[in-house]
Amino acid sequence: MSDAPAPAPSDLFDKVVNLCKRRGFVFPSAEIYGGFRSTYDYGPVGVLLLRNVKDAWWRSMVQLRHDVVGLDAAILSPPAIWEASGHLKNFTDPLVDCKVCRERFRLDRLDDPEVCPNCGSKHSFTEARQFNLMFKTYAGPVEGAGAEVYLRPETAQGMFTNFKNVLETSRKRPPFGIAQIGKSFRNEITPGNFVFRTREFEQMEMEYFVPPDESPRWYEYWCAERLAWYRDLGIPEHLLRLRAHDEDELSHYSVGTSDVEFLFPWGWDELEGIANRTDYDLRQHAAHSGERLEYFDQAAGERYVPHVIEPAAGATRTAMAFLMAAYDEEAVAREGQGKGEVRTVLRFHHRIAPYKVAVLPLSKKPELSAPATEVLALLQPHYMCDYDETQAIGRRYRRQDELGTPFCVTIDFDTLDDHAVTVRDRDTMAQDRVPIAGLLDHLRARLDA
Ligand code: GAP
């Protein structure tokens, strides 16, 4: 991805949403029934993109570290957890209704709290009501008191309720972290901006347990680490910033939070929050459950409740930021025909790109299908590959550009004699002739760097 700040097209948002539908990244959910309230399904390439975002996070937060372990906790959870965490009481947004047009809004997100942004009426709002964002349902056949359960609104509480289990089984000691990726659910009053704010979404969260006096240092450390993660995966510097929360923005559990923000088409908005949650959660769960949630430092002969630094990112929201940052249009000569056209290309970092390689026999003739499927079989154990044998090769290159595929491998009639293929680079469109025997090494040198 180029570092030079190229101006984003003014209709970038619509273009990306359109491309997502056209190329199979994201579909409106239940579309054959008219769609379902800001919910989305990830299509054949969207599921790869999302998986790559999550894999890149897991690699950086768990695989490449010795001090973080993973967890996959249940989504359905008893009220006791949310009573202790404070979510039953505090996880609310102020809701107002316009008495004229009957639209609902989050009061704290209105540009002018006196004016309805839908119908323009002044002083038409009802008194604000605190609306709890958690989805409630019932476990078992009988609805009612005692059967209520909640869909988790954050993955974090699974890490706190399993703190003792992990401490006892993993042989880790503070500073150490527990990481988790999974779905969370919030009954958002105003979902919107495509997959930016939805009621069902995926989070990537890590709770890092530290000795209390070390928490300021680790907070700074994780702010820097997390900002670098986005940069290292190709989001240009000018589209990223770190912003510290004002006092009145802090969640009920936090004494300090900084957001990694991305410059979306509507302005700067949050990708991830890094919070200093202190010992709030462990103390709350200890008090409510009666379990001792502490660490005994044998060397110092000291018992303490660790403090927690939490980098909490959204996987689906981050996938959207990668799409926005990768989108590019450039005027090019039509490949093979010399006629001008605009090509749309997603300049994803290789690690994020849904397919790494597309295998494209020049024609559907069986003489080419046979070597092409051999090339595919050579590459598939190593890389996610697409295979496409219909349409003119120029149109197939354009399709792969729109999917963000870094390399296209073309098998032509010369391949039958020289046992070589053409490797086309997505970003430069340069083509190299590469012997099939050296193809894997050629791609490895470029994709695994
Ligand atoms: N455990 C802390 C926590 O959940 P948060 O700032 O509420 O903190 C963390 O959420 C991240 O989860 C956000 O930065 C965002 O990327 C993602 N997220 C939160 N609500 C979301 C929603 N309604 N739709 C999509 N992503 C959301």
Side-chain angles (χ1 to χ4, degrees), residues 154 156 186 188 196-198 201 203 205 253 270-273 277 310 312-314 317:
E154 60 170 15
R186 295 181 190 179
E188 299 282 1
F196 179 82
R197 181 170 288 104
T198 48
F201 54 96
Q203 289 188 306
E205 300 196 289
Y253 49 73
E270 173 188 345
L271 288 181
E272 162 161 3
R277 291 180 83 126
E310 174 198 65
R317 191 177 281 189

Side-chain angles (χ1 to χ4, degrees), residues 87 91 153-157 160 184-186 188 191-192 195-205 207 230 245 251 253 257 259-260 270-275 277 310-318:
H87 282 74
F91 199 55
E154 60 170 15
T155 64
Q157 296 304 320
F160 299 126
S184 292
F185 301 82
R186 295 181 190 179
E188 299 282 1
V195 296
F196 179 82
R197 181 170 288 104
T198 48
R199 296 195 170 108
E200 172 179 349
F201 54 96
E202 281 195 87
Q203 289 188 306
M204 310 182 288
E205 300 196 289
E207 310 304 319
Y230 296 92
H245 278 206
S251 307
Y253 49 73
T257 297
D259 285 346
V260 176
E270 173 188 345
L271 288 181
E272 162 161 3
I274 298 108
R277 291 180 83 126
E310 174 198 65
T316 38
R317 191 177 281 189
T318 298

